[in-house]
Amino acid sequence: MNFRILMVSRSILRDMFAKNCALFGSRFVRSTETGKRHMRSVAQALRYFTLRYRVMKDDVLLFRIKFSLSTMAAIKEDVPSTSPSEEPVEKIAKKEVSKTSLEKHIRSLPGTDSSRTVNVAVSSRALFDLEEENEIFEKKGLEEYIQLQVSREDKFLKPGSAFPFIKALENVNAKLREIDPNEREIFSIALMSHNNANVGIRLQKSIDHYGLIVTRMALTGGTSPVEYLKAFNITLFLTSYEDQVTEAIHRGTSLHRFILGPTGDVIVGTSDSQCARGSIPGLGVICFPAAVMSLQPMNNPSETQLRIAFDLDAVLFSDESEKVFKAKGLDAYIEYELQNREIPLTEGPLKPFAEKIGRMQKKFDRSKKESCPIRTYIVTSRDAVLGQRALKTLREWGLEIDECFFMAGAAKDEVLKAINPHIFFDDQITHVARAREKGTPSGYVTHGISREYDAKKREQAKKDLTNAK
């Protein structure tokens, strides 16, 4: 049984229901007349419900349709099934008791409750290769960019750097549903882009072409998608724009909120009103886990196991220890870590996402490496001695990591190449760049003292160059 999710917004419901059903029908059952009849009936039924009930209060109508690749003998539960005699669509529709019951039924489907799913948002440039089109936008403007996209609607986009990761999430969903068909805590993918709505058709066609299940889409027409992360209850945001990642990580809301003090200490439970008023001087608010993706040559990661690699400081942990290192040097940093080895490190921007990954892992048998479709890794510049505090912190959080690599300052790229993860998160652009050169899809977490320190060095270098002239 192959599961497909069809989700369409109000503006394109009437046209897209029939078109998508026809697409699925031609792809999976083009050789069987029975299959074609079923697909036509489903398209008619969806069109009827659209015209009859319009759209639910969330402006979105979601149908989960089950396809049997062997016979296409029935389409069950979510859309009323049709018999070979093709019962008239009006009779099928009337079997629904009321609009309320239909809404209740759809909301009960696995994956439709965003408060229980792990919601991953990805931008169009992170999911697909749009570099050529983006160059047109930067050189010739929005109008010619849209014309180009419209003219290429039948040309499918190539995968981008986040594509393998998104594909792997869907494999985990399939494994979770093998254990429990009604599993609610699954990955839900949203495409969030500041693209114009006219580009949405090409994006949706490319999504369908690769068989991706992207249940929600936001095309914001130039507005930063960060404005809508809270509304979409996003757990992780991947984009190709550094400023959006920085904004997402430091945007204050009630979700995953913790406040970093000037020394890196965490203050929990500060009110939203205080955050909004900015009445806590010297404090920054951390919220949405996010990372910058960029176009790069990519390895071929596992198709059966999601592999995620994390750096520690300023990624899973705060940058409190790195602040000591940057301010006072290596000896002071070592002394600070040894003095505080029994004290857990404070949280970093990717910790909420890592926690949800860890909770998902516990649903599987982890006794054998191959039996769990998720595997997690730590690849850090810390050495083994200073790694004690890190391991104790992970234990304190109840976060079980499968493999840990303490590199003692050595390059990470070869280890990452051997791991071959779907994504690697790091806060230092040098590590990210080297990993990308070796084909490892990497997310740059724009947070922490190292980023600020590197920015100051670049600024000073520019000044020195100017003075030299």
Side-chain angles (χ1 to χ4, degrees), residues 85-341:
S85 62
E86 295 196 50
E87 188 176 359
V89 67
E90 289 79 7
K91 290 185 178 181
I92 296 173
K94 287 178 182 177
K95 290 180 180 179
E96 294 295 321
V97 177
S98 66
K99 178 181 176 180
T100 303
S101 65
L102 179 63
E103 292 179 4
K104 182 178 179 181
H105 178 63
I106 292 173
R107 285 198 301 268
S108 70
L109 301 178
T112 60
D113 183 355
S114 65
S115 67
R116 300 186 65 178
T117 53
V118 180
N119 305 302
V120 176
V122 59
S123 72
S124 55
R125 284 185 68 194
L127 184 60
F128 296 119
D129 178 359
L130 282 164
E131 297 309 297
E132 181 183 348
E133 289 82 356
N134 187 65
E135 186 176 353
I136 295 296
F137 170 73
E138 292 179 348
K139 290 182 178 180
K140 299 184 178 181
L142 177 62
E143 187 175 343
E144 290 203 27
Y145 168 78
I146 293 175
Q147 289 177 358
L148 177 66
Q149 292 284 31
V150 172
S151 68
R152 294 183 175 182
E153 283 181 354
D154 294 324
K155 183 179 180 181
F156 303 125
L157 293 162
K158 296 179 181 179
S161 57
F163 186 94
F165 174 67
I166 298 301
K167 194 74 174 175
L169 299 184
E170 295 182 358
N171 177 63
V172 175
N173 284 350
K175 296 296 183 182
L176 285 167
R177 282 173 170 157
E178 286 179 8
I179 298 173
D180 180 4
N182 295 314
E183 176 63 59
R184 295 292 196 270
E185 191 173 19
I186 61 175
F187 291 107
S188 176
I189 311 302
L191 190 146
M192 301 188 73
S193 169
H194 60 211
N195 250 310
N196 185 280
N198 285 316
V199 183
I201 295 175
R202 188 183 185 196
L203 293 173
Q204 187 61 54
K205 285 186 174 182
S206 297
I207 288 169
D208 289 341
H209 171 70
Y210 292 109
L212 298 177
I213 301 176
V214 178
T215 56
R216 294 186 290 173
M217 183 183 294
L219 301 175
T220 62
T223 302
S224 172
V226 177
E227 299 292 330
Y228 303 100
L229 295 180
K230 180 181 179 181
F232 276 64
N233 194 21
I234 295 302
T235 309
L236 176 68
F237 178 44
L238 301 177
T239 179
S240 58
Y241 294 96
E242 185 173 327
D243 58 335
Q244 292 180 7
V245 168
T246 303
E247 182 186 1
I249 289 176
H250 293 88
R251 175 169 288 257
T253 86
S254 59
L255 296 175
H256 313 310
R257 188 185 70 240
F258 51 93
I259 309 300
L260 293 186
T263 61
D265 297 330
V266 172
I267 306 171
V268 181
T270 306
S271 69
D272 284 329
S273 59
Q274 286 179 303
C275 296
R277 293 195 307 268
S279 59
I280 313 175
L283 299 183
V285 183
I286 301 286
C287 180
F288 298 102
V292 183
M293 307 296 292
S294 71
L295 186 66
Q296 61 182 87
M298 290 179 292
N299 299 328
N300 296 316
S302 171
E303 294 184 359
T304 59
Q305 187 177 65
L306 170 63
R307 297 176 183 176
I308 306 175
F310 298 95
D311 181 32
L312 288 179
D313 295 287
V315 177
L316 287 186
F317 303 153
S318 74
D319 61 346
E320 63 170 274
S321 297
E322 287 195 356
K323 285 179 178 177
V324 175
F325 174 71
K326 296 294 185 185
K328 299 182 180 180
L330 180 61
D331 291 340
Y333 165 70
I334 293 174
E335 182 181 356
Y336 176 81
E337 283 295 296
L338 293 177
Q339 288 177 351
N340 293 279
R341 70 173 64 182

Side-chain angles (χ1 to χ4, degrees), residues 293-394:
M293 307 296 292
S294 71
L295 186 66
Q296 61 182 87
M298 290 179 292
N299 299 328
N300 296 316
S302 171
E303 294 184 359
T304 59
Q305 187 177 65
L306 170 63
R307 297 176 183 176
I308 306 175
F310 298 95
D311 181 32
L312 288 179
D313 295 287
V315 177
L316 287 186
F317 303 153
S318 74
D319 61 346
E320 63 170 274
S321 297
E322 287 195 356
K323 285 179 178 177
V324 175
F325 174 71
K326 296 294 185 185
K328 299 182 180 180
L330 180 61
D331 291 340
Y333 165 70
I334 293 174
E335 182 181 356
Y336 176 81
E337 283 295 296
L338 293 177
Q339 288 177 351
N340 293 279
R341 70 173 64 182
E342 300 300 326
I343 302 174
L345 286 146
T346 50
E347 301 177 3
L350 266 292
K351 194 243 185 174
F353 173 67
E355 278 187 318
K356 294 199 173 185
I357 292 294
R359 192 160 62 242
M360 277 192 173
Q361 279 184 296
K362 293 177 181 179
K363 299 177 186 289
F364 299 97
D365 178 12
R366 300 178 67 187
S367 59
K368 296 181 180 179
K369 178 180 177 180
E370 296 78 13
S371 62
C372 182
I374 307 173
R375 195 160 183 84
T376 51
Y377 304 80
I378 294 295
V379 184
T380 175
S381 294
R382 285 174 174 254
D383 64 21
V385 174
L386 300 183
Q388 292 183 47
R389 188 183 183 198
L391 293 175
K392 288 180 179 178
T393 300
L394 295 173

Side-chain angles (χ1 to χ4, degrees), residues 40-50 63 79-80 89 92-93:
R40 284 195 296 269
S41 297
V42 172
Q44 290 172 344
L46 290 174
R47 182 176 291 278
Y48 181 88
F49 285 128
T50 304
F63 281 101
V79 179
V89 67
I92 296 173

